[in-house]
Amino acid sequence: KTKQIVLYCKSGNLPAQILIKDRSGKNTKATNGVSAFAFSPLQNSFAAITTSGDLLLYNESSGSTETVGKIGENQSVSRIVWDTAGAHFLFFYSNEKEGGNAAGICFYRLGDKKLFKLDTDAAREWPENRTLEGEPFSLAASRDGKRVLFSVIGNLQRSKDANPDVEIWNARDS
């Protein structure tokens, strides 16, 4: 039996809001400035990321929302991806100033309540000419939560003068 009702409210370009109401409708808890949100596949919890960088986890059985980590302010995030058993979730994050390229991956494992981060800017062994794919469909984790799978793409190096995607034609060229 459902104890609470969870509402995800979005209006235009404004940050979203999550409202958690008890069944009577008398008690309401609000979380403002939500940039990403996803229910677990078991529908007994959800994960949310706020615009201030807090990673929140809601547990229906306790009726509580706790901050389980922080990714930092001014980070944009992808859609949250849960594993099919609801044991862990992951997402891409990027610095809003970097033009949308994913800068890292966050992975949260519920069993041991641990947040793992891969920051490609800080990783010493990360090749300079590679970038994370950054699309949620290219992100997954193993069932046991011990391996994270993601796509990496090469950066295209083009000179400022040459653009191979554009051909300029002149009427005198024929």
Side-chain angles (χ1 to χ4, degrees), residues 106-132:
C106 283
F107 173 74
Y108 186 79
R109 207 165 42 207
L110 278 71
D112 52 4
K113 297 183 176 185
K114 286 193 176 180
L115 175 65
F116 301 93
K117 290 167 106 176
L118 167 65
D119 184 348
T120 60
D121 293 334
R124 288 181 284 151
E125 309 257 337
W126 191 264
E128 287 185 34
N129 62 344
R130 299 284 183 223
T131 303
L132 291 170

Side-chain angles (χ1 to χ4, degrees), residues 114-157:
K114 286 193 176 180
L115 175 65
F116 301 93
K117 290 167 106 176
L118 167 65
D119 184 348
T120 60
D121 293 334
R124 288 181 284 151
E125 309 257 337
W126 191 264
E128 287 185 34
N129 62 344
R130 299 284 183 223
T131 303
L132 291 170
E133 171 69 32
E135 294 295 329
F137 64 80
S138 67
L139 188 60
S142 62
R143 284 184 185 246
D144 61 7
K146 294 183 179 179
R147 291 176 301 281
V148 174
L149 312 165
F150 54 90
S151 296
V152 176
I153 55 175
N155 294 338
L156 298 176
Q157 300 294 329

Side-chain angles (χ1 to χ4, degrees), residues 36-38 49 77-82 90-92 135-137 139:
F37 165 83
I49 304 159
V77 294
S78 71
R79 182 175 55 83
I80 297 170
V81 178
W82 282 87
L90 46 150
F91 57 90
F92 288 110
E135 294 295 329
F137 64 80
L139 188 60

Side-chain angles (χ1 to χ4, degrees), residues 22-72:
D22 67 4
R23 289 177 51 88
S24 69
K26 294 179 183 175
N27 297 322
T28 302
K29 297 176 195 171
T31 302
N32 296 314
V34 176
S35 55
F37 165 83
F39 273 105
S40 77
L42 305 177
Q43 302 293 316
N44 61 352
S45 61
F46 68 76
I49 304 159
T50 65
T51 52
S52 61
D54 291 327
L55 179 56
L56 307 175
L57 185 63
Y58 168 78
N59 184 325
E60 183 186 36
S61 61
S62 67
S64 66
T65 304
E66 66 176 305
T67 301
V68 296
K70 187 148 180 91
I71 61 165

